Amino acid sequence: MKHRTLVHTKLAGWLIVIIAVSVFSVGVRPGQADAAPTISPATLSGGQVGTPYSVGFSATPCAGTCNWSYTGTLPPGLSMFGSSIYGTPTTAGAYAFSVTVTDTGDGTASQTYFVNITAPALTFTTTDVPGATVGQAYSASFAASGGSGTITYAMSSGNLPSGLTFNNGQIIGAPARGTAGSYSFTITATSGTTITQQAFTLTVDKGTFNAIIGISDGLVEGQTKVYVGGTLKGTLNGGDTIKVSGLDPDSIATVSVDSIVPVPGRTDIRYRAEQSSASVSQDSPQITFNYYPEYDVELKTDPSGITTISGSGWYKQGQPLAVTADDVVTQDTDSRYQFSYWLAPGGDKIKSQTLNIGISQAGQYIATYDLYYKITIASQFGSVQGGGWQKAGSTMKWDVNPMEIAMPGVLGFFGGKYKALLSTGTEIVEGPKTVTVQWDADYTTPIITIPLAILIVAGIIYGIYALVRRGQRAPQPIPYPSPYQAPPPPYYPPYPMPPPPPPQQAMPAPQTTVFMIGDGLKKPPQNTREQLMEKFGELLQKYEEELAQGKELPQSAEMTEMGPIMEKKSLPSPDINVIDSMPEKASPVEECGFTTKKLLRTVVTQWQNTSIKPIVVTPGDKKSAALAGGRTVTWTRNTYNEWELHICKLPTGHKGTHKGATEIVYSVLDTINEDRNYGPKQPLKPPIPHYTDGMPEVDIPASQIISSDQLPA
């Protein structure tokens, strides 16, 4: 079909030439043919596209000046200059044109020419294509020459491996995995009406792949070995990479590194790989092994060996360490150790009994204990302040209140009391100790009051006795005068004189009442006077016995129940039994309730690290990258107001100066929190400077901290 089209095109060209010749022949005037010059050559040879072409014309005769021109269509690429046509044809085809010469002396002549421009043969200049490798970029181009115009290319048969595509004379892409082998295909080139074909074969090799193995910057010190398939490929530092080539793309290679890397010259720090083995393949040819530091942490006590604290071992950087030390370690009944603080490796003291921190360095965390001894303050009377468990080497103050206490029984009723020889004192705590408060019996008041009471009672008894005897005594007779005396004056009694007594009759003896005091038989009292005399005799006898013994009276059961304070009771009336009238138990004595406060100063506690967190590195931030592996520490410090409280311990309603206890307490004024960043090896030091620096630092027991609303108004 294409051949027929080419033949038709050539016939049309010759027809155009014939028509043009006829036109030019009609245009020649009669009579001029003999005078016109003759143009040579008579015919022109054909040309080829892309091949230079030239031809020169001449006229015979030419008597004058000959001027040349042409009419019609020259083959594209050819031009006429003077008497010559030359150039390089670009388009194949049959072309007809007339060349005219004008002679200034003999006239004008024209000659028609036919030129056939043919196209060169269309052939492939590319005869084969390079081989391809699986997974690698590939490109190949096809070229052909000849033809009569633009050459186009197409794949007319065959196929390419997956991953490669054909586009207008070029193959591009990368062969997919599993496409290794040979592929045959045919490329067709077309230029105008000219077509040619060429067969090609593409070989795809499975090739090899390269693995890139890297070690992270976390391996700050030491080196790790890298193995691929069990074969040592190199030794790398942190941040280094290694390229392993020649690996089979159809297999998966196992890469391993040292799981633990020791640090030269140190035994308390090492580096551990997050994973020590991984796989690489053609699809995933790159891997990086990450390392992090581990610190050897030892938990101990000071003094050593008093108790066991579990938790020692290797800790990842930033891993929390949470352990609670025993508050009290008992040695025996009179001595024990009490927790004081944790001593961190950097020298920091952590007051909290529970250690809850993020590990950032190796070393020992020592639970420090203070030795305490049991101090006993023994006192037969009164209420004792002080004693208990006291820190070794400290100075303990004790006191007893009240300093005086009434004696139990009758002596106390008459003002007898016990006085503390020493009501307060201090002791240097060097070991277990019992401090006994000595009391001295004071009989001064009973010595004075009991004889006075005896005299008063005796006077009362004697007066009652005299009155009774006077009422029982008979009137006495008037004796006769002696013969040696003058007679008395006349006596006129208002009543008749009694008869004189018989001679030699004596006066009756006075009657006497006898009381038996003690456990022997006694006559039961018959009246109030006798009862009073009996009780007074018993009281006097008991007082004499106590004075004769000259020692402290034992504390009675009534005294134990009534406590250290007894109210003095008034002497009951004579008709009331003294013993039966005593109360079974004294009512409790209420304290005065007078309290004062005095602000002494403002103090602070030591800095405590209450929270440790690893620093999060922001990608692209140089400032945070410089702190990689560091930690953020939250420091806390409390400020307190120190108060002096005076609390009266005397009974309610007392007179005179208040007496009692003085206490030092603290109320929270403010809590300061401050976050600070520290590098991986930077020691943890509290904030310096700070506006609280210079304030007095006080170690405040929890028992001395009260809220502000508990302070007196």
Side-chain angles (χ1 to χ4, degrees), residues 129-209:
V129 292
T133 303
V134 172
Q136 296 184 9
Y138 178 82
S139 67
S141 299
F142 300 91
S145 62
S148 59
T150 302
I151 302 174
T152 60
Y153 302 90
M155 180 177 289
S156 55
S157 65
N159 56 73
L160 296 175
S162 177
L164 297 181
T165 57
F166 180 84
N167 184 17
N168 194 25
Q170 189 176 23
I171 297 176
I172 58 175
R177 184 177 178 182
T179 59
S182 297
Y183 298 84
S184 297
F185 53 91
T186 300
I187 303 298
T188 299
T190 302
S191 176
T193 59
T194 304
I195 299 174
T196 187
Q197 293 181 335
Q198 180 71 40
F200 295 93
T201 299
L202 173 62
T203 301
V204 179
D205 184 66
K206 70 177 182 179
T208 60
F209 76 93

Side-chain angles (χ1 to χ4, degrees), residues 405-419 440-455 536 539-540 542-544 546-547 553 568:
I405 190 168
M407 292 181 178
V410 177
L411 293 180
F413 177 80
F414 283 101
K417 55 189 175 182
Y418 293 108
K419 291 184 178 180
D440 188 18
D442 184 1
Y443 297 100
T444 303
T445 302
I447 290 175
I448 298 174
T449 57
I450 290 179
L452 290 177
I454 292 174
L455 292 176
F536 179 74
L539 177 64
L540 181 59
K542 185 174 182 180
Y543 174 67
E544 290 175 350
E546 292 175 352
L547 291 179
L553 295 176
K568 295 181 179 180

